[in-house]
Amino acid sequence: MDTPPEQPGRASAGPDDGARRADADASTAPDGARLPLGTAVLVVVLALFAALTAGHLVAAVVGPGASPLVAVGNSVIDLAPSWLVEFGKDVFGTKNKLVLLLGIGLALVLLGVATGAASRRKAAPGVGLIAALGAVGIAAVVTRTELGQLAVAAPIVGLLVGIVVFPWLHRLARETYVDSSGNAGGADDVRTVRTGADARLTDASRRRFIGSSLGVAAGAGVAGLTGQAFAGPDVQASRADIAPFQPKTTAPPIPKGADFAANGTPTLITPNRDFYTIHTALVVPRVPVDDWTLRIHGMVDRPLTLTYDELRQRPLVERTLTLACVSNPVGGRLISTANFIGVDLRDLLQEAGVKPGAEQLYSTSHDGFTAGTPVDVVMEPDRRAMLALGMNGEPLPVSHGFPVRMVVPGLYGFVSATKWLVDLELTTWDAKQGYWQPRGWAREAPVKTQSRIDGPLGDITAGDVVVAGTAWAPHVGIDAVEVRVDDGPWQRAELSTEVSVDTWRMWRATVRMSRGENTVTCRATDRTGATQPEVETPVAPDGATGWHSVTFTAR
Ligand SMILES: Nc1nc2c(c(=O)[nH]1)N[C@H]1C(S)=C(S)[C@@H](COP(=O)(O)O)O[C@H]1N2
Ligand SMILES: [Mo]
């Protein structure tokens, strides 16, 4: 069939006059066109499809959980009442996630139908829908703490694609469907007439629209399938499958008075979603337990390779431990406390048999990060170092090292707390250097005694004011905290109940504040009797020192 050149004139049937041919000169601005419902819906649905698959493709790189559909699905599960979630599992079994995603897909199609009906003339309602759904996708991703910092790229790219594709297809569609009279807006059942010369322009723009739509559908399909193929293992599914841990030794219950949260300090246990996160990986490693093994080798009598099940079948212990980052500045918040569940590291190393001369426990992460920990510290009988599988009753969150990480009380994380742990080698200091050591950080890095002011929060009235904060000297213990206002005398603060020397401790004190500015300073003394030095040093190479001060304004 040969293609006639484009000619002005469009044809369609009005409601009253059947298939009436339009005047060839009565071409009209596309502004007047009103799309048939089916076409308007198709354009919305295609744009949504393109947006979702583009997000899915980006998610293959930044983490499968960042795929907008997946993130929204997971958030729906979190927000849904538990009876509903249980009901879903009972009725649909292992297919419950699929059913949920199909349900969200159906909801999107229904939204597409409603929005399509509203976008028959103007693109604005469709653009509004895509923007709103984009915002939902972004919100779902940023509130999911298990996803990395780059995860938000997935819904953002999806939003951008949707916001470009929709108006473009909408315009192409409107150039195709123009009502026969040339008047703005046709009837609901307006239909193009595809006869004779008048239909020729329509045919050309129609071909353009159909071709573009098919192109979008095909491109989106390829993006979605590629995203699926490269997404890698679904680590969230692996994590969700972990049976609850039954520690042989549970952490003692948190005593009353272990924190002064009412006065502005953190709670003694940091909820997983609030636990500070530090890692060099741009994309969080995804290591399902079935793919995981741990090798213990080097200067040992009996090298071991353990699967996840072999590790978790060992006696599990639960310990309340504070973890601190060397990069925490004075007053900083890169410190948190959790009930870690796992196996005792010393026991495990004794089973492998550490050879004399082994100085360094060199741990390697799935992502290549390494840390060197002094063997003599890990092997101290009361050090309580562990390989953690769980955190606050759950499997480790992916961003905190799922499936297994190291935790050594009293040492900064960069020399001890390797996440996504896959290899432990006993070696000498000369043989290897941990990741941060050649970058100017210390080889051995015990956590420095520190204290911080956290409260009061909110308005302050001059007079007696309760100031509160946090102090830590992991594996040593805090013995005292003192505070002063401006250059006044040091005053002893009340300490919260001690849980163990391996956990942080809170303090509070009633001080007198005058109207205007009051600079409060605190300092801690640890169980060795040493008081924090006043002199401020930077975080590199082995942790900041200095007293924390906060200026409060009282009214
Ligand atoms: N694989 C890996 N493990 C790592 C790191 C890292 O960059 N990669 N950072 C370490 C540092 S510097 C700290 S302070 C702790 C932080 O652990 P968190 O993110 O669970 O708080 O992890 C340690 N383990
Ligand atoms: Mo750190």
Side-chain angles (χ1 to χ4, degrees):
M1 212 170 78
D2 56 353
T3 325
E6 287 199 5
Q7 283 182 19
R10 297 149 199 214
S12 71
D16 316 317
D17 48 13
R20 174 170 63 82
R21 298 231 338 230
D23 183 330
D25 291 329
S27 68
T28 179
D31 280 355
R34 184 171 167 182
L35 296 176
L37 180 61
T39 306
V41 170
L42 177 73
V43 169
V44 177
V45 169
L46 272 178
L48 286 179
F49 184 51
L52 288 175
T53 53
H56 198 64
L57 180 63
V58 175
V61 181
V62 300
S67 176
L69 203 54
V70 176
V72 169
N74 284 329
S75 298
V76 167
I77 293 175
D78 289 353
L79 297 174
S82 52
W83 63 262
L84 187 59
V85 175
E86 289 310 315
F87 172 81
K89 282 187 192 160
D90 285 351
V91 175
F92 303 113
T94 53
K95 296 264 179 292
N96 67 86
K97 287 271 173 63
L98 185 65
V99 170
L100 173 69
L101 292 182
L102 289 175
I104 296 175
L106 182 67
L108 288 177
V109 169
L110 293 178
L111 277 174
V113 171
T115 311
S119 322
R120 294 174 64 182
R121 214 184 298 270
K122 294 257 180 300
V127 172
L129 175 74
I130 288 165
L133 291 176
V136 170
I138 290 169
V141 168
V142 299
T143 52
R144 300 207 68 76
T145 47
E146 78 270 13
L147 304 174
Q149 293 102 311
L150 284 185
V152 73
I156 288 180
V157 168
L159 172 61
L160 293 178
V161 165
I163 244 148
V164 169
V165 165
F166 178 74
W168 171 64
L169 276 186
H170 192 266
R171 184 173 52 76
L172 292 182
R174 277 158 73 241
E175 283 171 6
T176 304
Y177 292 95
V178 173
D179 108 47
S180 60
S181 65
N183 291 336
D188 280 12
D189 59 348
V190 68
R191 236 166 257 130
T192 45
V193 174
R194 317 196 56 226
T195 51
D198 291 342
R200 282 174 193 160
L201 173 65
T202 305
D203 272 349
S205 43
R206 223 182 144 83
R207 269 195 299 278
R208 199 175 324 137
F209 170 62
I210 292 173
S212 303
S213 299
L214 288 175
V216 166
V222 168
L225 291 174
T226 310
Q228 196 62 18
F230 287 93
D234 186 352
V235 66
Q236 294 298 348
S238 170
R239 185 173 177 268
D241 277 349
I242 305 282
F245 299 115
Q246 256 120 29
K248 213 172 132 222
T249 329
T250 49
I254 302 305
K256 262 174 111 162
D259 66 50
F260 297 139
N263 300 107
T265 75
T267 50
L268 187 101
I269 301 290
T270 315
N272 286 351
R273 65 173 179 284
D274 298 336
F275 203 99
Y276 83 95
T277 308
I278 295 281
H279 46 252
T280 55
L282 271 185
V283 175
V284 172
R286 300 193 281 265
V287 194
V289 292
D290 291 342
D291 298 352
W292 183 89
T293 54
L294 174 66
R295 232 183 117 206
I296 304 178
H297 63 112
M299 299 169 73
V300 291
D301 299 325
R302 292 166 293 276
L304 296 172
T305 301
L306 295 165
T307 65
Y308 187 81
D309 281 338
E310 286 165 349
L311 190 67
R312 79 164 285 172
Q313 272 151 25
R314 300 178 64 91
L316 296 180
V317 292
E318 185 182 33
R319 294 172 180 163
T320 311
L321 305 175
T322 293
L323 186 60
C325 182
V326 69
S327 298
N328 196 38
V330 171
R333 308 192 78 85
L334 296 178
I335 178 164
S336 302
T337 299
N339 281 324
F340 290 100
I341 299 168
V343 304
D344 187 86
L345 182 53
R346 180 172 181 261
D347 282 357
L348 195 61
L349 293 178
Q350 276 180 336
E351 196 171 305
V354 177
K355 286 192 170 147
E359 301 164 328
Q360 170 177 215
L361 177 62
Y362 188 79
S363 51
T364 304
S365 162
H366 186 267
D367 70 343
F369 172 89
T370 55
T373 313
V375 170
D376 53 4
V377 170
V378 172
M379 297 309 280
E380 284 168 16
D382 69 345
R383 179 58 65 160
R384 306 204 300 155
M386 58 195 291
L387 298 188
L389 292 74
M391 188 171 169
N392 295 332
E394 292 175 21
L396 280 181
V398 176
S399 56
H400 293 292
F402 179 83
V404 178
R405 77 172 308 165
M406 244 171 87
V407 183
V408 183
L411 303 187
Y412 283 122
F414 81 109
V415 291
S416 68
T418 302
K419 307 194 268 189
W420 314 289
L421 178 72
V422 293
D423 191 287
L424 287 174
E425 179 181 353
L426 287 122
T427 185
T428 59
W429 290 118
D430 283 344
K432 300 209 157 156
Q433 292 193 323
Y435 181 87
W436 286 110
Q437 207 191 316
R439 292 167 172 84
W441 296 77
R443 185 178 84 183
E444 285 172 68
V447 180
K448 291 185 178 169
T449 299
Q450 272 286 4
S451 59
R452 176 183 84 191
I453 299 162
D454 297 319
L457 309 165
D459 288 344
I460 298 166
T461 317
D464 283 345
V465 177
V466 179
V467 205
T470 310
W472 59 91
H475 207 63
V476 174
I478 287 289
D479 258 6
V481 172
E482 298 158 288
V483 278
R484 69 173 186 204
V485 179
D486 300 321
D487 290 327
W490 287 105
Q491 175 184 336
R492 196 75 178 240
E494 175 193 355
L495 288 176
S496 68
T497 310
E498 183 172 76
V499 171
S500 84
V501 291
D502 294 324
T503 56
W504 58 9
R505 222 166 154 185
M506 314 306 170
W507 59 266
R508 68 179 168 199
T510 305
V511 302
R512 198 139 192 105
M513 289 197 195
S514 38
R515 208 179 283 271
E517 293 195 338
N518 302 265
T519 298
V520 177
T521 305
C522 68
R523 66 177 187 194
T525 300
D526 63 33
R527 201 141 295 160
T528 69
T531 299
Q532 278 180 253
E534 177 175 13
V535 48
E536 284 228 21
T537 59
V539 293
D542 62 357
T545 66
W547 295 342
H548 187 217
S549 286
V550 174
T551 300
F552 294 96
T553 306
R555 292 189 302 142

